[in-house]
Amino acid sequence: MTTLQPPAAVDRTARASLKRDRRSWTGWGFVGPFVAVFALVFLAPIVYSIWLSLFQDRLIGGNTFVGLDNYKQALQDDQFWSGVTRVGLFLAVQVPIMLGIALLVALALDSGRLYGRDFFRISIFLPYAVPAVVATLMWAFMYGTRFGLVGDINDTFGVSLPDPLSPDLVLASIGNIVTWEFVGYNMLIFYAALRVIPQSLYEAAEIDGAGQWRVITAIKLPAIRGALVIATIFSIIGSFQLFNEPSVLRPLALNAVTTDYTPNYYTYTLSFRGQQYNYSATVAIVMGLITMVVAYVVQLRGMRKGA
């Protein structure tokens, strides 16, 4: 037997349903612009790159579907893997040095014992505001043995300093530039994390008689573990995306910086100089996958240690 609801109850149910529909559309109104922009500038290029990587421009037949042939070629490409190995070495050496310096500076600023704290904080962060191309040009001038700072030191003191742009030292020179640029950025991440640690923890440590080193190892470092993981992931991604510094230094170090010096520079060379758009898209996708896997492993290990 069906029970009939009074007209007032039916009206209330209809109004409630209409309010829910309006709320859902209101939510999409806020989220919609972001979703549209995200799809346009992030998802669409990835989909287009994957589509390009499945084709190959041949002399006979034009743009032909080749499936995974480009990926097989990339996995056997010695130039690509030499670039991956080079940025892997760069990552293993430069990132710990850069993050270590940034952490030491952040701890010094947070200690409250550094005179002129605000001045040092701004000074250390200032290089991050310099565009990467400008910073590389500035350091390239100082590296010059014929016209730059190194050359002036050689002429003035009658010495012969090693050429920073030689094949053996150019990777370390690039690491110096990147470290100078991003120490301040990572320092700010660590310093912001340190500032939100409750003062009650420091007071309890002082009552227990803990020294500064014990406070750092037992309170500060565990409290900013999440910031350390985030900064490490950002640095890993930035290392694999290394492009500006090698491309700017190449005219000054033709024998040291080759067109396949880094995977990103290799991709740029394939696309804009070699007109190999399909294969360059393949290399970019493979490099993106490698970056994603390495960053995920670092995040997983960092979070597991913090658990």
Side-chain angles (χ1 to χ4, degrees):
M1 181 176 180
T2 304
T3 303
L4 297 177
Q5 294 182 349
V10 174
D11 187 53
R12 285 195 299 270
T13 303
R15 285 200 300 268
S17 177
L18 182 60
K19 287 182 180 179
R20 285 195 299 269
D21 292 340
R22 287 178 178 175
R23 281 198 296 268
S24 63
W25 282 110
T26 301
W28 279 110
F30 283 103
V31 177
F34 166 78
V35 172
V37 173
F38 181 78
L40 181 65
V41 303
F42 184 78
L43 296 180
I46 293 177
V47 173
Y48 182 61
S49 298
I50 295 174
W51 181 81
L52 279 178
S53 68
L54 301 177
F55 291 82
Q56 196 174 89
D57 195 7
R58 296 175 174 174
L59 294 176
I60 300 176
N63 204 28
T64 307
F65 179 80
V66 295
L68 299 178
D69 288 354
N70 288 328
Y71 292 92
K72 295 177 182 178
Q73 180 182 348
L75 295 177
Q76 300 172 355
D77 190 343
D78 293 336
Q79 290 180 293
F80 169 65
W81 287 110
S82 67
V84 174
T85 303
R86 193 172 292 110
V87 295
L89 176 62
F90 180 87
L91 165 66
V93 176
Q94 186 268 337
V95 170
I97 293 175
M98 177 182 64
L99 295 183
I101 295 173
L103 180 60
L104 289 176
V105 174
L107 290 171
L109 292 173
D110 185 65
S111 67
R113 301 183 179 185
L114 187 65
Y115 181 75
R117 181 180 61 182
D118 294 339
F119 171 77
F120 281 107
R121 184 174 59 194
I122 295 296
S123 300
I124 295 169
F125 180 75
L126 192 60
Y128 180 69
V130 180
V133 174
V134 176
T136 307
L137 288 172
M138 180 183 67
W139 279 96
F141 177 78
M142 289 190 287
Y143 287 154
T145 56
R146 289 177 296 178
F147 55 83
L149 179 61
V150 174
D152 291 341
I153 293 175
N154 290 340
D155 295 338
T156 302
F157 298 100
V159 297
S160 180
L161 296 178
D163 184 4
L165 299 180
S166 63
D168 295 332
L169 295 178
V170 68
L171 188 62
S173 299
I174 293 174
N176 177 63
I177 298 173
V178 175
T179 301
W180 181 81
E181 288 180 286
F182 289 97
V183 160
Y185 171 79
N186 291 288
M187 175 273 297
L188 199 62
I189 294 177
F190 299 150
Y191 182 69
L194 288 169
R195 298 304 294 172
V196 300
I197 298 176
Q199 290 295 322
S200 59
L201 296 179
Y202 299 143
E203 295 171 359
E206 185 178 355
I207 293 174
D208 291 340
Q212 284 296 318
W213 178 250
R214 183 61 178 170
V215 170
I216 291 173
T217 56
I219 297 177
K220 292 187 176 183
L221 292 183
I224 65 170
R225 186 184 298 275
L228 288 169
V229 173
I230 292 296
T232 303
I233 292 174
F234 286 170
S235 301
I236 290 172
I237 295 173
S239 297
F240 280 127
Q241 291 179 344
L242 194 63
F243 174 79
N244 288 322
E245 290 79 11
S247 63
V248 173
L249 292 177
R250 176 167 164 74
L252 301 175
L254 291 174
N255 296 328
V257 180
T258 58
T259 56
D260 60 342
Y261 197 75
T262 66
N264 267 14
Y265 195 38
Y266 184 45
T267 303
Y268 168 82
T269 304
L270 288 171
S271 182
F272 293 97
R273 296 183 182 179
Q275 307 300 315
Q276 301 181 48
Y277 304 114
N278 304 103
Y279 185 56
S280 66
T282 305
V283 172
I285 291 171
V286 174
M287 196 61 219
L289 292 174
I290 294 174
T291 304
M292 182 177 65
V293 170
V294 174
Y296 177 74
V297 170
V298 171
Q299 180 185 10
L300 198 64
R301 287 181 59 86
M303 294 305 178
R304 182 178 300 170
K305 288 182 179 180

